[in-house]
């Protein structure tokens, strides 16, 4: 298993694996609901649409497939990122899907029709994406050890956070939109206070 994501209400979970297949499970009983058709390469990122009706699945070829959650039928394919798509996130307002990948790009898609709205440049591979719960910001974590934050509405760069000593592996916004958490291959998790614009917490993994 290479990646996983909870449904917004916590009732189901989608996983992606090296066998090129994404699977949807019922969290309450662990039963498999649907195994989606095999994709071109190992699954690298998954996300469940806030309406719970669609699942986005990215793979190491760069393709992003949108599947009907329950039926397993393909809705559309997004061109994705050259060299692999490594991160996916839906906005809670259901309007946007954001992806990051090996081509050092962050792409913002229209969740309704799959049209690309804009793209942002990074200096290195993008491995983590998070969207604030108020749908105001996109955060991207990259191999250059930095976290870049853009305004989702107008695409302007809002902030850059530095402090990790190795590539960023995961990002998550707090539900009150006051904090951004980041993890890194340097063995740390850092908490960023978004009002102050700086790091206020620093956790070290056991043995790190």
């Amino acid at each position: 298993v290479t990646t996983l994501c909870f449904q917004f209400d916590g009732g189901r979970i989608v996983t992606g694996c090296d066998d090129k297949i994404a699977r949807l499970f019922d969290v309450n009983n662990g039963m498999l609901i649907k195994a989606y058709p095999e994709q071109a390469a190992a699954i690298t990122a998954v996300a469940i649409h806030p309406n719970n009706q669609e699942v986005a699945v990215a793979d190491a070829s760069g393709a992003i497939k949108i599947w009907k959650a329950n039926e397993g039928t393909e809705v559309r394919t997004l061109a994705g990122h050259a060299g692999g798509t490594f991160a996916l996130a839906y906005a809670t307002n259901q309007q946007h899907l954001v992806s990051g990948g090996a081509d050092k790009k962050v792409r913002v898609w229209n969740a309704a029709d799959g049209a690309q709205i804009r793209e942002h440049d990074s200096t290195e591979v993008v491995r983590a994406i998070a969207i604030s719960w108020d749908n105001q910001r996109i955060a991207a974590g990259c191999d250059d050890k930095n976290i870049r934050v853009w305004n989702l509405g107008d695409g302007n760069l809002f902030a850059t956070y530095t402090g990790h000593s190795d590539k960023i592996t995961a990002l998550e916004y707090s539900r009150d939109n006051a904090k951004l958490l980041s993890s890194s291959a340097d063995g740390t998790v850092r908490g960023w206070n978004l009002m102050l614009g700086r790091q206020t917490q620093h956790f070290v993994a056991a043995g790190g």
Side-chain angles (χ1 to χ4, degrees):
V1 177
T2 56
T3 182
L4 56 83
C5 178
F6 273 100
Q7 187 171 284
F8 275 75
D9 63 8
R12 298 185 297 181
I13 189 171
V14 62
T15 65
C17 301
D18 275 339
D19 64 3
K20 309 177 185 178
I21 295 173
R23 295 170 174 85
L24 183 68
F25 294 91
D26 187 309
V27 170
N28 297 304
N29 57 27
M31 295 293 292
L32 176 67
I33 298 171
K34 180 63 63 175
Y36 300 102
E38 182 178 308
Q39 296 194 189
I43 307 304
T44 48
V46 292
I48 302 179
H49 194 293
N51 66 12
N52 301 327
Q53 301 303 307
E54 296 179 0
V55 175
V57 182
D59 63 46
S61 77
I64 303 170
K65 297 273 190 182
I66 309 298
W67 305 99
K68 283 286 187 183
N70 295 325
E71 294 87 350
T73 54
E74 184 177 335
V75 178
R76 68 182 63 89
T77 297
L78 309 183
H81 300 260
T85 301
F86 299 140
L88 290 172
Y90 275 107
T92 58
N93 62 10
Q94 306 187 25
Q95 295 179 12
H96 302 98
L97 173 66
V98 181
S99 61
D103 57 2
K104 308 175 186 178
K105 302 283 188 182
V106 174
R107 301 178 189 271
V108 181
W109 311 86
N110 185 315
D113 60 14
Q116 182 174 307
I117 297 171
R118 70 174 61 92
E119 65 179 43
H120 302 287
D121 292 322
S122 180
T123 62
E124 291 293 341
V125 174
V126 179
R127 298 193 184 274
I129 293 287
I131 303 175
S132 61
W133 288 83
D134 60 5
N135 302 298
Q136 297 297 307
R137 309 275 188 259
I138 303 167
C142 308
D143 280 7
D144 66 359
K145 312 168 190 175
N146 296 324
I147 302 163
R148 292 173 179 80
V149 180
W150 291 274
N151 295 326
L152 183 54
D154 60 20
N156 290 330
L157 183 66
F158 175 75
T160 300
Y161 300 121
T162 62
H164 284 291
S165 60
D166 207 335
K167 63 186 177 184
I168 310 301
T169 55
L171 294 168
E172 185 71 29
Y173 276 100
S174 62
R175 295 206 177 198
D176 62 4
N177 304 298
K179 185 179 296 182
L180 177 67
L181 290 178
S182 59
S183 66
S184 168
D186 65 12
T188 68
V189 174
R190 298 172 190 263
W192 308 88
N193 184 302
L194 304 182
M195 291 291 292
L196 300 176
R198 61 179 176 84
Q199 179 187 313
T200 54
Q201 291 175 297
H202 179 191
F203 308 93
V204 179

